[in-house]
Amino acid sequence: MKCRECGTEIADKALICFRCGASVQEAVHKPYVAPKKKRPLIVYAIFAFLVLIAIVMALFGAFPVFRF
């Protein structure tokens, strides 16, 4: 049998080509690809709310001002 990639003569029972490393057979199983984790919208909403609270507190003087 010949390799599909490089044309080297290889054994009939070979799984890969010894010269170029190409697979001789088609893959039986596709590799597992983990799905991307999506953060729920509530996480972003809470973060935005906390930032808004901090801005409002800063504008109305809730934080002490440090003076030297």
Side-chain angles (χ1 to χ4, degrees):
M1 162 172 36
K2 286 192 175 191
C3 174
R4 288 183 266 168
E5 296 294 320
C6 67
T8 302
E9 190 67 32
I10 54 176
D12 291 337
K13 294 182 180 181
L15 298 177
I16 61 170
C17 174
F18 67 89
R19 184 171 184 198
C20 69
S23 177
V24 175
Q25 299 175 347
E26 295 295 324
V28 177
H29 301 287
K30 292 183 179 178
Y32 176 73
V33 177
K36 292 183 179 178
K37 291 184 179 181
K38 288 187 175 181
R39 291 187 179 156
L41 184 60
I42 191 74
V43 173
Y44 295 114
I46 291 172
F47 179 73
F49 180 72
L50 292 175
V51 169
L52 183 64
I53 295 285
I55 291 172
V56 168
M57 289 176 71
L59 289 176
F60 290 107
F63 297 121
V65 177
F66 296 103
R67 296 182 185 186
F68 294 102

